[in-house]
Amino acid sequence: MILSQFAPMGSLCRWLSLACVLLMGVGWGSVAMAANPTEVAPKALSPVAEVVPHTPQTVAQQRLEAIGEAMQTIRLCNRPNCRYRDISVEVRPISGTDSDPTLEYEGTINAIIDRPSGSLDKAHYRLAFRGGRWQLLGGEEVSDVSSFFFEGDTYEVFSTYSTRSRKEKLADARSSLRVGYRELYYRVFDQGRER
């Protein structure tokens, strides 16, 4: 009679023992997971940071020099020697360090424009290296009779023959507008972005 009263208690003890063993197993697994989470967590579920490949400054420099070489093929008027000459490029880092994958560069191109004029015409262009490509930001071209200022796809011209400046889009400019920037923007670059 006494044994029959404790029979339900025995099965209860067995259930409690089993529950304790399961809890201990879960606890030990948690300790193992905390000690080395990369082995327990599947790689497919781990967060992945998108890494933008870093372009070394020497590569960015070479690509800007190639752009400068392409500028030498541009004719700026009907005369055969009406071209860019004495082209120089410069590349400078603008953020981070050489080991920083988000490093970007700024660049400049300076040149003399050989045109039939009484003085040396000069060109200065500003560029930025973003997303793995050079982008033409703007610049200026100065001659003895006019000054052109460029920002993206727009230009503004100041002439000694007029008291007013004129601001327009490059796409809307007349074909008689022979500025190097427009040729650079569309022929060397693809609407200001490196091809």
Side-chain angles (χ1 to χ4, degrees):
M1 183 96 169
I2 294 176
L3 289 175
S4 64
Q5 288 178 343
F6 290 109
M9 186 66 109
S11 64
L12 181 63
C13 284
R14 273 184 252 147
W15 282 109
L16 284 174
S17 297
L18 183 61
C20 286
V21 169
L22 286 174
L23 286 174
M24 284 178 29
V26 170
W28 284 69
S30 297
V31 170
M33 189 166 62
N36 199 354
T38 56
E39 288 184 11
V40 177
K43 290 184 180 183
L45 299 177
S46 62
V48 177
E50 185 176 332
V51 176
V52 177
H54 170 62
T55 304
Q57 186 170 346
T58 55
V59 173
Q61 176 83 27
Q62 290 169 352
R63 287 170 53 186
L64 193 56
E65 288 171 358
I67 290 168
E69 289 172 14
M71 287 171 61
Q72 293 176 353
T73 64
I74 295 173
R75 287 186 57 198
L76 301 168
C77 67
N78 293 330
R79 290 178 43 184
N81 64 342
C82 191
R83 300 179 185 277
Y84 285 109
R85 65 180 173 90
D86 298 337
I87 299 169
S88 65
V89 300
E90 184 180 357
V91 175
R92 295 172 303 282
I94 57 175
S95 66
T97 63
D98 242 11
S99 61
D100 183 358
T102 61
L103 181 68
E104 296 180 329
Y105 305 102
E106 62 183 0
T108 55
I109 299 175
N110 292 300
I112 292 175
I113 301 174
D114 198 354
R115 284 191 184 125
S117 65
S119 67
L120 285 177
D121 295 357
K122 296 181 181 178
H124 172 79
Y125 306 118
R126 297 175 288 107
L127 303 98
F129 191 83
R130 292 194 180 108
R133 296 197 312 186
W134 282 107
Q135 182 176 352
L136 185 60
L137 301 178
E140 60 188 37
E141 293 178 16
V142 180
S143 75
D144 58 343
V145 294
S146 60
S147 298
F148 287 87
F149 297 93
F150 307 96
E151 201 63 43
D153 67 342
T154 62
Y155 74 95
E156 190 167 5
V157 61
F158 298 89
S159 173
T160 57
Y161 302 119
S162 173
T163 57
R164 294 176 27 161
S165 70
R166 192 175 75 239
K167 190 170 189 173
E168 294 183 28
K169 293 279 189 189
L170 288 172
D172 299 334
R174 296 173 303 206
S175 61
S176 61
L177 177 70
R178 301 294 283 217
V179 292
Y181 185 88
R182 180 167 73 171
E183 298 297 309
L184 188 61
Y185 189 84
Y186 288 114
R187 282 185 46 205
V188 176
F189 288 85
D190 179 15
Q191 296 186 19
R193 289 184 58 84
E194 184 181 8
R195 293 181 188 276

